[in-house]
Amino acid sequence: MANIAAPIEELLGGEKPDFVAHAKRATPLGGSIMMLFFAIVWLTISGFMTYIFVTQLFSGGEIHYELNGEPRTATKPGLILLFPALFDLIGLFLLWISLRGIFGGDAWFAGTPNRLVIYTKGGSRSIDWDQFNGDVAVSGNENLGNVNLAMRTGHYKSQKNRPERYVPDEIGMIQIERPYQIESLCRARIKEHDPTPTNTNPNASI
Protein backbone atom coordinates (compact mmCIF):
# COMPACT_ATOMS: atom_id res chain seq x y z
CA MET A 1 0.00 0.00 0.00
CA ALA A 2 1.23 3.49 -0.83
CA ASN A 3 2.25 5.73 2.02
CA ILE A 4 -0.75 7.81 3.00
CA ALA A 5 -0.41 11.56 2.50
CA ALA A 6 -1.07 13.49 5.69
CA PRO A 7 -4.12 15.43 4.36
CA ILE A 8 -5.98 12.33 3.18
CA GLU A 9 -5.09 10.48 6.37
CA GLU A 10 -6.81 13.30 8.23
CA LEU A 11 -9.84 13.06 5.93
CA LEU A 12 -10.18 9.36 6.69
CA GLY A 13 -10.73 10.21 10.33
CA GLY A 14 -9.54 6.87 11.62
CA GLU A 15 -11.35 4.75 9.01
CA LYS A 16 -9.37 1.77 7.80
CA PRO A 17 -9.00 2.04 4.00
CA ASP A 18 -9.38 -0.87 1.58
CA PHE A 19 -6.82 0.85 -0.60
CA VAL A 20 -4.88 4.08 -1.00
CA ALA A 21 -3.87 5.18 -4.51
CA HIS A 22 -1.59 8.01 -5.56
CA ALA A 23 -2.55 9.36 -8.99
CA LYS A 24 0.22 11.10 -10.88
CA ARG A 25 -2.35 13.37 -12.51
CA ALA A 26 -5.49 14.94 -11.06
CA THR A 27 -7.19 15.23 -14.47
CA PRO A 28 -6.91 13.36 -17.80
CA LEU A 29 -4.32 14.86 -20.14
CA GLY A 30 -6.38 14.43 -23.32
CA GLY A 31 -9.23 16.68 -22.23
CA SER A 32 -6.84 19.40 -21.09
CA ILE A 33 -5.01 19.36 -24.42
CA MET A 34 -8.29 19.67 -26.33
CA MET A 35 -9.32 22.60 -24.15
CA LEU A 36 -5.90 24.22 -24.70
CA PHE A 37 -6.37 23.96 -28.47
CA PHE A 38 -9.87 25.45 -28.18
CA ALA A 39 -8.56 28.27 -25.97
CA ILE A 40 -5.83 29.14 -28.49
CA VAL A 41 -8.36 29.26 -31.34
CA TRP A 42 -10.73 31.36 -29.21
CA LEU A 43 -7.98 33.83 -28.25
CA THR A 44 -6.82 34.10 -31.86
CA ILE A 45 -10.30 35.08 -33.03
CA SER A 46 -11.06 37.37 -30.08
CA GLY A 47 -7.61 38.97 -30.31
CA PHE A 48 -8.20 39.77 -33.97
CA MET A 49 -11.57 41.30 -33.08
CA THR A 50 -9.95 43.42 -30.36
CA TYR A 51 -7.25 44.56 -32.78
CA ILE A 52 -9.86 45.68 -35.34
CA PHE A 53 -11.87 47.57 -32.72
CA VAL A 54 -8.87 49.30 -31.19
CA THR A 55 -7.15 50.28 -34.44
CA GLN A 56 -10.33 51.74 -35.90
CA LEU A 57 -11.22 53.70 -32.79
CA PHE A 58 -7.76 55.12 -32.16
CA SER A 59 -7.23 55.98 -35.82
CA GLY A 60 -10.32 58.13 -35.89
CA GLY A 61 -12.57 55.54 -37.48
CA GLU A 62 -16.10 54.62 -36.46
CA ILE A 63 -17.63 51.45 -35.08
CA HIS A 64 -21.31 50.94 -35.89
CA TYR A 65 -23.40 48.78 -33.55
CA GLU A 66 -26.88 48.50 -32.06
CA LEU A 67 -27.98 49.05 -28.46
CA ASN A 68 -31.54 48.13 -27.49
CA GLY A 69 -32.43 48.01 -31.17
CA GLU A 70 -31.17 51.50 -31.87
CA PRO A 71 -28.18 52.12 -34.18
CA ARG A 72 -25.19 53.68 -32.45
CA THR A 73 -21.80 54.90 -33.59
CA ALA A 74 -18.65 54.82 -31.47
CA THR A 75 -15.89 57.25 -32.32
CA LYS A 76 -13.91 57.15 -29.05
CA PRO A 77 -12.70 54.31 -26.82
CA GLY A 78 -15.24 53.58 -24.16
CA LEU A 79 -17.69 50.93 -23.09
CA ILE A 80 -17.72 49.56 -26.64
CA LEU A 81 -14.26 48.08 -25.93
CA LEU A 82 -15.85 45.89 -23.24
CA PHE A 83 -17.37 43.75 -25.98
CA PRO A 84 -14.11 42.33 -27.41
CA ALA A 85 -12.48 42.46 -23.97
CA LEU A 86 -15.16 40.11 -22.63
CA PHE A 87 -14.28 37.53 -25.27
CA ASP A 88 -10.59 37.95 -24.44
CA LEU A 89 -11.29 37.28 -20.77
CA ILE A 90 -13.25 34.14 -21.62
CA GLY A 91 -10.35 32.91 -23.74
CA LEU A 92 -7.84 33.63 -20.98
CA PHE A 93 -10.02 31.75 -18.51
CA LEU A 94 -10.15 28.72 -20.81
CA LEU A 95 -6.39 28.94 -21.25
CA TRP A 96 -5.87 29.03 -17.49
CA ILE A 97 -8.15 26.01 -16.94
CA SER A 98 -6.37 23.98 -19.65
CA LEU A 99 -2.87 24.84 -18.39
CA ARG A 100 -3.92 24.02 -14.86
CA GLY A 101 -5.09 20.61 -16.09
CA ILE A 102 -1.86 19.95 -18.00
CA PHE A 103 0.56 21.12 -15.33
CA GLY A 104 -1.68 20.56 -12.33
CA GLY A 105 -0.70 18.47 -9.38
CA ASP A 106 -1.35 14.92 -8.39
CA ALA A 107 -4.27 13.40 -6.48
CA TRP A 108 -4.81 10.89 -3.70
CA PHE A 109 -7.67 8.38 -3.51
CA ALA A 110 -8.65 6.24 -0.54
CA GLY A 111 -11.42 3.65 -0.63
CA THR A 112 -13.07 2.74 2.66
CA PRO A 113 -15.92 0.27 3.25
CA ASN A 114 -18.43 3.14 2.87
CA ARG A 115 -16.94 5.81 0.60
CA LEU A 116 -14.28 7.02 -1.79
CA VAL A 117 -12.17 9.87 -0.43
CA ILE A 118 -10.39 12.18 -2.90
CA TYR A 119 -7.74 14.76 -2.11
CA THR A 120 -6.14 17.22 -4.53
CA LYS A 121 -4.37 20.54 -4.09
CA GLY A 122 -7.66 22.21 -5.00
CA GLY A 123 -9.61 20.58 -2.20
CA SER A 124 -11.14 17.32 -1.06
CA ARG A 125 -14.23 15.27 -1.78
CA SER A 126 -15.96 12.26 -0.28
CA ILE A 127 -18.40 10.13 -2.31
CA ASP A 128 -20.47 7.26 -0.93
CA TRP A 129 -20.22 4.03 -2.92
CA ASP A 130 -23.97 4.03 -3.62
CA GLN A 131 -23.46 7.13 -5.80
CA PHE A 132 -21.65 5.04 -8.44
CA ASN A 133 -23.63 3.08 -11.04
CA GLY A 134 -21.27 0.09 -11.24
CA ASP A 135 -19.76 0.90 -14.63
CA VAL A 136 -16.02 0.62 -13.97
CA ALA A 137 -13.37 0.86 -16.70
CA VAL A 138 -9.72 0.01 -16.27
CA SER A 139 -6.77 0.40 -18.64
CA GLY A 140 -3.04 -0.11 -18.53
CA ASN A 141 -1.15 -3.03 -17.09
CA GLU A 142 -1.00 -4.69 -13.68
CA ASN A 143 1.55 -2.20 -12.39
CA LEU A 144 0.33 1.15 -13.72
CA GLY A 145 -2.91 2.31 -15.33
CA ASN A 146 -6.20 4.19 -15.05
CA VAL A 147 -9.49 3.41 -13.32
CA ASN A 148 -12.69 5.30 -14.26
CA LEU A 149 -15.79 5.06 -12.09
CA ALA A 150 -19.12 6.17 -13.58
CA MET A 151 -21.60 7.88 -11.26
CA ARG A 152 -25.39 7.89 -11.13
CA THR A 153 -25.39 11.62 -11.82
CA GLY A 154 -24.63 12.97 -15.27
CA HIS A 155 -25.70 15.31 -18.04
CA TYR A 156 -27.14 15.25 -21.54
CA LYS A 157 -24.74 15.83 -24.42
CA SER A 158 -26.02 17.11 -27.76
CA GLN A 159 -25.12 15.21 -30.93
CA LYS A 160 -25.29 16.41 -34.51
CA ASN A 161 -28.42 15.10 -36.26
CA ARG A 162 -29.04 12.71 -33.37
CA PRO A 163 -30.96 12.83 -30.07
CA GLU A 164 -29.19 13.99 -26.97
CA ARG A 165 -27.15 11.33 -25.20
CA TYR A 166 -26.96 10.90 -21.44
CA VAL A 167 -23.36 10.90 -20.22
CA PRO A 168 -22.64 9.85 -16.61
CA ASP A 169 -20.23 11.90 -14.52
CA GLU A 170 -16.94 10.10 -13.93
CA ILE A 171 -14.26 9.91 -11.31
CA GLY A 172 -10.90 9.10 -12.87
CA MET A 173 -7.87 7.73 -11.08
CA ILE A 174 -5.09 8.53 -13.54
CA GLN A 175 -1.79 6.67 -13.61
CA ILE A 176 -2.15 4.76 -10.36
CA GLU A 177 -0.33 1.64 -9.26
CA ARG A 178 -2.14 -1.74 -9.14
CA PRO A 179 -5.11 -0.50 -11.23
CA TYR A 180 -6.71 -3.93 -11.71
CA GLN A 181 -6.58 -4.73 -8.02
CA ILE A 182 -8.10 -1.36 -7.13
CA GLU A 183 -10.74 -1.78 -9.84
CA SER A 184 -11.76 -5.08 -8.25
CA LEU A 185 -12.00 -3.50 -4.79
CA CYS A 186 -14.07 -0.58 -6.11
CA ARG A 187 -16.42 -2.86 -8.03
CA ALA A 188 -17.01 -5.01 -4.95
CA ARG A 189 -17.83 -2.04 -2.73
CA ILE A 190 -20.13 -0.51 -5.34
CA LYS A 191 -22.00 -3.80 -5.67
CA GLU A 192 -22.20 -4.12 -1.90
CA HIS A 193 -23.82 -0.67 -1.60
CA ASP A 194 -25.98 -0.86 -4.73
CA PRO A 195 -29.43 0.45 -3.67
CA THR A 196 -31.10 -1.60 -6.41
CA PRO A 197 -29.07 -4.83 -6.69
CA THR A 198 -30.06 -7.34 -9.33
CA ASN A 199 -27.91 -10.20 -8.11
CA THR A 200 -26.77 -10.62 -4.54
CA ASN A 201 -24.24 -13.01 -3.15
CA PRO A 202 -24.17 -13.12 0.67
CA ASN A 203 -20.81 -14.86 0.56
CA ALA A 204 -19.12 -12.17 -1.53
CA SER A 205 -16.20 -10.48 0.14
CA ILE A 206 -13.11 -8.56 -0.82
Side-chain angles (χ1 to χ4, degrees):
M1 179 178 294
N3 293 326
I4 303 177
I8 202 168
E9 186 175 15
E10 182 178 346
L11 291 171
L12 288 173
E15 286 186 84
K16 183 179 179 181
D18 294 334
F19 67 87
V20 174
H22 179 215
K24 295 182 179 180
R25 299 191 56 81
T27 57
L29 182 61
S32 298
I33 292 178
M34 289 183 62
M35 181 174 289
L36 175 62
F37 175 78
F38 182 76
I40 292 174
V41 173
W42 183 288
L43 283 172
T44 301
I45 297 174
S46 64
F48 180 75
M49 291 172 54
T50 303
Y51 173 78
I52 295 298
F53 271 68
V54 171
T55 53
Q56 286 198 5
L57 287 174
F58 282 93
S59 63
E62 297 180 345
I63 297 293
H64 299 278
Y65 65 101
E66 287 189 2
L67 181 64
N68 296 326
E70 297 182 2
R72 300 289 181 91
T73 300
T75 58
K76 297 181 180 180
L79 293 178
I80 188 62
L81 288 179
L82 291 177
F83 177 71
L86 176 63
F87 282 87
D88 292 337
L89 289 175
I90 294 174
L92 290 173
F93 176 75
L94 294 174
L95 181 64
W96 177 76
I97 291 294
S98 61
L99 292 177
R100 182 183 177 185
I102 293 174
F103 300 105
D106 53 1
W108 285 86
F109 297 85
T112 76
N114 298 308
R115 59 184 179 139
L116 177 67
V117 181
I118 307 168
Y119 171 77
T120 65
K121 292 181 179 178
S124 61
R125 185 179 182 186
S126 176
I127 308 173
D128 293 338
W129 288 119
D130 60 6
Q131 297 302 306
F132 296 95
N133 66 15
D135 185 5
V136 183
V138 60
S139 60
N141 54 49
E142 293 183 359
N143 298 320
L144 187 67
N146 308 323
V147 176
N148 291 310
L149 309 175
M151 301 185 65
R152 297 185 182 277
T153 58
H155 59 278
Y156 284 94
K157 183 177 181 180
S158 60
Q159 302 182 97
K160 187 176 181 180
N161 300 325
R162 297 178 62 184
E164 290 184 331
R165 178 171 61 92
Y166 182 77
V167 179
D169 296 328
E170 285 190 349
I171 298 296
M173 293 182 259
I174 313 300
Q175 294 184 331
I176 60 172
E177 296 180 355
R178 304 174 295 116
Y180 286 90
Q181 182 179 349
I182 290 175
E183 178 264 348
S184 178
L185 293 169
C186 290
R187 192 182 296 277
R189 287 304 187 191
I190 292 171
K191 183 177 180 180
E192 178 184 335
H193 291 82
D194 187 352
T196 56
T198 54
N199 294 306
T200 59
N201 181 1
N203 297 320
S205 61
I206 62 172

Coordinates of all heavy atoms in Angstrom, one line a residue, residues 56-113:
Q56 N -9.4 50.8 -35.3 CA -10.3 51.7 -35.9 C -10.7 52.9 -35.0 O -10.8 54.1 -35.4 CB -11.6 51.0 -36.3 CG -11.4 50.1 -37.5 CD -12.8 49.7 -38.1 OE1 -13.8 50.1 -37.7 NE2 -12.7 48.8 -39.1
L57 N -10.8 52.6 -33.7 CA -11.2 53.7 -32.8 C -10.1 54.7 -32.6 O -10.3 55.9 -32.6 CB -11.6 53.1 -31.4 CG -13.0 52.4 -31.4 CD1 -13.2 51.8 -30.1 CD2 -14.1 53.4 -31.7
F58 N -8.9 54.2 -32.4 CA -7.8 55.1 -32.2 C -7.2 55.8 -33.4 O -6.4 56.7 -33.3 CB -6.6 54.4 -31.4 CG -6.9 54.1 -30.0 CD1 -7.5 53.0 -29.6 CD2 -6.6 55.1 -29.0 CE1 -7.8 52.8 -28.2 CE2 -6.8 54.9 -27.7 CZ -7.4 53.7 -27.3
S59 N -7.7 55.3 -34.6 CA -7.2 56.0 -35.8 C -8.3 56.9 -36.3 O -8.2 57.4 -37.4 CB -6.9 54.9 -36.9 OG -8.1 54.2 -37.2
G60 N -9.3 57.2 -35.5 CA -10.3 58.1 -35.9 C -11.5 57.5 -36.7 O -12.3 58.2 -37.1
G61 N -11.5 56.2 -36.8 CA -12.6 55.5 -37.5 C -13.8 55.4 -36.6 O -13.9 55.9 -35.5
E62 N -14.8 54.8 -37.2 CA -16.1 54.6 -36.5 C -16.5 53.1 -36.4 O -16.2 52.4 -37.3 CB -17.2 55.4 -37.2 CG -17.0 56.9 -37.2 CD -18.2 57.6 -37.9 OE1 -19.0 56.8 -38.6 OE2 -18.3 58.8 -37.8
I63 N -17.1 52.8 -35.3 CA -17.6 51.5 -35.1 C -19.1 51.6 -35.0 O -19.7 52.3 -34.2 CB -17.1 50.8 -33.8 CG1 -15.6 50.6 -33.9 CG2 -17.7 49.4 -33.6 CD1 -15.1 49.6 -34.9
H64 N -19.9 50.9 -35.9 CA -21.3 50.9 -35.9 C -21.9 49.7 -35.2 O -21.4 48.6 -35.5 CB -21.8 51.0 -37.3 CG -21.3 52.2 -38.1 ND1 -22.0 53.5 -38.0 CD2 -20.3 52.4 -38.9 CE1 -21.3 54.3 -38.7 NE2 -20.3 53.7 -39.3
Y65 N -22.8 49.9 -34.3 CA -23.4 48.8 -33.5 C -24.8 49.2 -33.1 O -25.2 50.3 -33.3 CB -22.5 48.4 -32.3 CG -22.5 49.5 -31.3 CD1 -23.2 49.4 -30.1 CD2 -21.6 50.6 -31.4 CE1 -23.2 50.4 -29.2 CE2 -21.5 51.6 -30.5 CZ -22.3 51.5 -29.3 OH -22.2 52.5 -28.4
E66 N -25.5 48.2 -32.5 CA -26.9 48.5 -32.1 C -27.0 48.3 -30.6 O -26.3 47.4 -30.0 CB -27.9 47.6 -32.7 CG -28.1 47.9 -34.2 CD -29.3 47.1 -34.8 OE1 -29.9 46.3 -34.0 OE2 -29.6 47.2 -36.0
L67 N -27.7 49.1 -29.9 CA -28.0 49.0 -28.5 C -29.5 49.2 -28.2 O -30.1 50.2 -28.5 CB -27.2 50.1 -27.7 CG -27.3 50.1 -26.2 CD1 -26.8 48.8 -25.6 CD2 -26.6 51.3 -25.6
N68 N -30.1 48.2 -27.7 CA -31.5 48.1 -27.5 C -32.3 48.4 -28.8 O -33.3 49.1 -28.8 CB -32.0 49.2 -26.4 CG -31.4 48.8 -25.1 OD1 -31.2 47.7 -24.7 ND2 -31.1 49.9 -24.3
G69 N -31.8 47.9 -29.9 CA -32.4 48.0 -31.2 C -32.2 49.3 -31.9 O -32.7 49.5 -33.0
E70 N -31.4 50.2 -31.3 CA -31.2 51.5 -31.9 C -29.7 51.6 -32.4 O -28.8 51.2 -31.7 CB -31.4 52.6 -30.9 CG -32.8 52.7 -30.3 CD -33.0 53.9 -29.4 OE1 -32.0 54.6 -29.2 OE2 -34.1 54.1 -28.8
P71 N -29.5 52.0 -33.6 CA -28.2 52.1 -34.2 C -27.3 53.1 -33.4 O -27.8 54.2 -33.1 CB -28.4 52.5 -35.6 CG -29.8 53.2 -35.6 CD -30.6 52.5 -34.6
R72 N -26.1 52.8 -33.1 CA -25.2 53.7 -32.4 C -23.9 53.7 -33.2 O -23.5 52.8 -34.0 CB -24.9 53.2 -31.0 CG -26.2 53.1 -30.1 CD -26.7 54.5 -29.8 NE -27.9 54.4 -29.0 CZ -27.8 54.4 -27.6 NH1 -26.7 54.5 -27.0 NH2 -28.9 54.4 -26.9
T73 N -23.1 54.8 -33.0 CA -21.8 54.9 -33.6 C -20.8 55.3 -32.5 O -21.0 56.2 -31.8 CB -21.8 56.0 -34.7 OG1 -22.7 55.6 -35.7 CG2 -20.4 56.1 -35.3
A74 N -19.7 54.5 -32.4 CA -18.7 54.8 -31.5 C -17.5 55.4 -32.2 O -17.0 54.9 -33.2 CB -18.2 53.5 -30.8
T75 N -17.0 56.6 -31.7 CA -15.9 57.2 -32.3 C -14.7 57.4 -31.4 O -13.6 57.8 -31.7 CB -16.3 58.7 -32.8 OG1 -16.8 59.4 -31.7 CG2 -17.4 58.6 -33.9
K76 N -15.0 57.1 -30.0 CA -13.9 57.1 -29.0 C -13.9 55.9 -28.2 O -14.9 55.2 -28.1 CB -14.1 58.4 -28.1 CG -14.1 59.7 -28.8 CD -14.3 60.8 -27.8 CE -14.2 62.2 -28.5 NZ -14.4 63.3 -27.6
P77 N -12.7 55.5 -27.7 CA -12.7 54.3 -26.8 C -13.6 54.5 -25.6 O -13.7 55.6 -25.1 CB -11.2 54.2 -26.4 CG -10.5 55.1 -27.4 CD -11.4 56.1 -27.8
G78 N -14.3 53.5 -25.3 CA -15.2 53.6 -24.2 C -15.8 52.2 -23.8 O -15.1 51.2 -23.9
L79 N -17.1 52.2 -23.5 CA -17.7 50.9 -23.1 C -17.7 49.9 -24.3 O -17.8 48.7 -24.0 CB -19.1 51.2 -22.6 CG -19.2 52.0 -21.3 CD1 -20.7 52.2 -20.9 CD2 -18.5 51.2 -20.1
I80 N -17.7 50.5 -25.5 CA -17.7 49.6 -26.6 C -16.5 48.6 -26.6 O -16.6 47.5 -27.1 CB -17.7 50.4 -28.0 CG1 -18.0 49.5 -29.2 CG2 -16.4 51.1 -28.1 CD1 -19.3 48.8 -29.2
L81 N -15.4 49.0 -26.0 CA -14.3 48.1 -25.9 C -14.5 46.9 -25.0 O -13.7 45.9 -25.0 CB -13.0 48.9 -25.5 CG -12.4 49.8 -26.5 CD1 -11.2 50.5 -25.9 CD2 -12.0 49.1 -27.8
L82 N -15.5 47.0 -24.1 CA -15.8 45.9 -23.2 C -16.3 44.7 -24.0 O -16.1 43.5 -23.5 CB -16.9 46.3 -22.2 CG -16.5 47.3 -21.2 CD1 -17.7 47.7 -20.3 CD2 -15.4 46.8 -20.3
F83 N -16.9 44.9 -25.2 CA -17.4 43.7 -26.0 C -16.2 42.8 -26.4 O -16.3 41.6 -26.1 CB -18.1 44.3 -27.2 CG -18.6 43.2 -28.1 CD1 -19.7 42.4 -27.7 CD2 -18.0 43.0 -29.4 CE1 -20.1 41.4 -28.6 CE2 -18.5 42.0 -30.2 CZ -19.5 41.2 -29.8
P84 N -15.2 43.3 -27.1 CA -14.1 42.3 -27.4 C -13.3 41.9 -26.2 O -12.8 40.8 -26.1 CB -13.2 43.1 -28.4 CG -13.5 44.5 -28.1 CD -15.0 44.6 -27.7
A85 N -13.2 42.8 -25.2 CA -12.5 42.5 -24.0 C -13.1 41.3 -23.2 O -12.4 40.4 -22.6 CB -12.4 43.7 -23.0
L86 N -14.5 41.2 -23.3 CA -15.2 40.1 -22.6 C -14.8 38.8 -23.3 O -14.5 37.8 -22.6 CB -16.7 40.3 -22.7 CG -17.6 39.2 -22.2 CD1 -17.3 39.0 -20.7 CD2 -19.0 39.5 -22.4
F87 N -14.7 38.8 -24.6 CA -14.3 37.5 -25.3 C -12.8 37.2 -25.0 O -12.5 36.0 -24.8 CB -14.5 37.7 -26.8 CG -15.9 37.5 -27.2 CD1 -16.8 38.6 -27.2 CD2 -16.4 36.3 -27.6 CE1 -18.1 38.5 -27.6 CE2 -17.7 36.1 -28.0 CZ -18.5 37.2 -28.0
D88 N -12.0 38.2 -24.8 CA -10.6 38.0 -24.4 C -10.5 37.3 -23.1 O -9.7 36.4 -22.8 CB -9.8 39.3 -24.5 CG -9.6 39.8 -25.9 OD1 -9.7 39.0 -26.8 OD2 -9.4 41.0 -26.0
L89 N -11.3 37.8 -22.1 CA -11.3 37.3 -20.8 C -11.8 35.8 -20.7 O -11.2 35.0 -20.0 CB -12.2 38.1 -19.9 CG -11.6 39.5 -19.5 CD1 -12.6 40.3 -18.7 CD2 -10.3 39.4 -18.8
I90 N -12.8 35.5 -21.5 CA -13.2 34.1 -21.6 C -12.1 33.2 -22.2 O -11.9 32.1 -21.6 CB -14.5 34.0 -22.5 CG1 -15.7 34.8 -21.9 CG2 -14.9 32.6 -22.8 CD1 -16.9 34.8 -22.7
G91 N -11.4 33.7 -23.2 CA -10.4 32.9 -23.7 C -9.2 32.7 -22.7 O -8.7 31.6 -22.7
L92 N -8.9 33.7 -22.0 CA -7.8 33.6 -21.0 C -8.2 32.7 -19.9 O -7.4 31.9 -19.3 CB -7.5 35.0 -20.4 CG -6.8 36.0 -21.4 CD1 -6.7 37.4 -20.7 CD2 -5.4 35.5 -21.7
F93 N -9.5 32.7 -19.5 CA -10.0 31.8 -18.5 C -9.9 30.3 -19.0 O -9.5 29.4 -18.2 CB -11.5 32.1 -18.2 CG -12.1 31.1 -17.2 CD1 -11.7 31.2 -15.8 CD2 -13.0 30.2 -17.6 CE1 -12.3 30.3 -14.9 CE2 -13.5 29.3 -16.7 CZ -13.2 29.3 -15.3
L94 N -10.3 30.1 -20.2 CA -10.2 28.7 -20.8 C -8.7 28.3 -20.9 O -8.4 27.1 -20.6 CB -10.8 28.7 -22.2 CG -12.3 28.9 -22.3 CD1 -12.7 29.0 -23.7 CD2 -13.0 27.7 -21.6
L95 N -7.8 29.2 -21.2 CA -6.4 28.9 -21.3 C -5.9 28.6 -19.9 O -5.1 27.6 -19.7 CB -5.6 30.2 -21.8 CG -4.1 30.0 -21.9 CD1 -3.8 28.9 -22.9 CD2 -3.5 31.3 -22.3
W96 N -6.3 29.3 -18.9 CA -5.9 29.0 -17.5 C -6.3 27.7 -17.0 O -5.6 26.9 -16.4 CB -6.4 30.1 -16.6 CG -6.1 29.9 -15.1 CD1 -4.9 30.0 -14.5 CD2 -7.0 29.4 -14.1 NE1 -4.9 29.7 -13.2 CE2 -6.2 29.3 -12.9 CE3 -8.3 29.0 -14.1 CZ2 -6.8 28.9 -11.7 CZ3 -8.9 28.6 -12.9 CH2 -8.1 28.5 -11.7
I97 N -7.6 27.3 -17.3 CA -8.2 26.0 -16.9 C -7.4 24.9 -17.6 O -7.0 23.9 -17.0 CB -9.6 25.9 -17.3 CG1 -10.5 26.9 -16.4 CG2 -10.1 24.5 -17.2 CD1 -10.5 26.5 -15.0
S98 N -7.1 25.0 -18.9 CA -6.4 24.0 -19.6 C -4.9 23.8 -19.1 O -4.5 22.7 -19.0 CB -6.4 24.3 -21.1 OG -5.7 25.5 -21.4
L99 N -4.2 24.9 -18.9 CA -2.9 24.8 -18.4 C -2.8 24.3 -17.0 O -1.9 23.5 -16.6 CB -2.2 26.2 -18.4 CG -1.9 26.8 -19.8 CD1 -1.3 28.2 -19.7 CD2 -1.0 25.9 -20.6
R100 N -3.8 24.6 -16.2 CA -3.9 24.0 -14.9 C -4.1 22.5 -14.9 O -3.5 21.8 -14.1 CB -5.1 24.7 -14.1 CG -5.2 24.2 -12.7 CD -6.4 24.8 -12.0 NE -6.6 24.3 -10.7 CZ -7.6 24.6 -9.9 NH1 -8.6 25.4 -10.3 NH2 -7.7 24.1 -8.7
G101 N -4.9 22.0 -15.9 CA -5.1 20.6 -16.1 C -3.8 19.9 -16.6 O -3.5 18.8 -16.1
I102 N -3.1 20.6 -17.4 CA -1.9 19.9 -18.0 C -0.7 19.9 -17.0 O -0.1 18.9 -16.8 CB -1.4 20.7 -19.3 CG1 -2.4 20.5 -20.4 CG2 0.0 20.2 -19.7 CD1 -2.2 21.4 -21.6
F103 N -0.6 21.0 -16.3 CA 0.6 21.1 -15.3 C 0.1 21.0 -13.9 O 0.9 21.3 -13.0 CB 1.3 22.4 -15.5 CG 1.9 22.6 -16.9 CD1 1.3 23.4 -17.9 CD2 3.0 21.8 -17.3 CE1 1.8 23.5 -19.1 CE2 3.5 22.0 -18.6 CZ 2.9 22.8 -19.5
G104 N -1.1 20.7 -13.7 CA -1.7 20.6 -12.3 C -1.0 19.4 -11.5 O -0.3 18.6 -12.1
G105 N -1.3 19.4 -10.3 CA -0.7 18.5 -9.4 C -1.3 17.1 -9.4 O -2.1 16.8 -10.3
D106 N -0.9 16.3 -8.5 CA -1.4 14.9 -8.4 C -2.6 14.8 -7.6 O -3.2 15.9 -7.2 CB -0.3 14.1 -7.8 CG 0.2 14.6 -6.4 OD1 -0.3 15.7 -6.0 OD2 1.1 14.1 -5.8
A107 N -3.1 13.6 -7.3 CA -4.3 13.4 -6.5 C -4.1 12.1 -5.7 O -3.4 11.2 -6.1 CB -5.5 13.3 -7.4
W108 N -4.8 12.1 -4.6 CA -4.8 10.9 -3.7 C -6.2 10.4 -3.6 O -7.2 11.1 -3.5 CB -4.3 11.2 -2.3 CG -2.8 11.4 -2.2 CD1 -2.1 12.5 -2.5 CD2 -1.8 10.4 -1.9 NE1 -0.7 12.3 -2.3 CE2 -0.6 11.0 -2.0 CE3 -1.9 9.1 -1.5 CZ2 0.6 10.3 -1.7 CZ3 -0.8 8.4 -1.3 CH2 0.5 9.0 -1.3
F109 N -6.4 9.0 -3.6 CA -7.7 8.4 -3.5 C -7.6 7.3 -2.4 O -6.6 6.6 -2.3 CB -8.1 7.7 -4.8 CG -8.3 8.6 -6.0 CD1 -7.2 9.0 -6.7 CD2 -9.5 9.1 -6.3 CE1 -7.4 9.9 -7.8 CE2 -9.7 10.0 -7.3 CZ -8.6 10.4 -8.1
A110 N -8.6 7.3 -1.6 CA -8.7 6.2 -0.5 C -10.1 5.7 -0.5 O -11.0 6.4 -0.4 CB -8.3 6.8 0.8
G111 N -10.1 4.3 -0.7 CA -11.4 3.7 -0.6 C -11.6 3.0 0.7 O -10.8 2.2 1.2
T112 N -12.7 3.3 1.4 CA -13.1 2.7 2.7 C -14.3 1.8 2.4 O -14.8 1.8 1.3 CB -13.4 3.8 3.7 OG1 -14.7 4.4 3.5 CG2 -12.4 4.9 3.7
P113 N -14.7 1.1 3.4 CA -15.9 0.3 3.3 C -17.2 1.1 2.9 O -18.1 0.5 2.3 CB -16.1 -0.4 4.6 CG -14.7 -0.5 5.2 CD -14.0 0.8 4.7

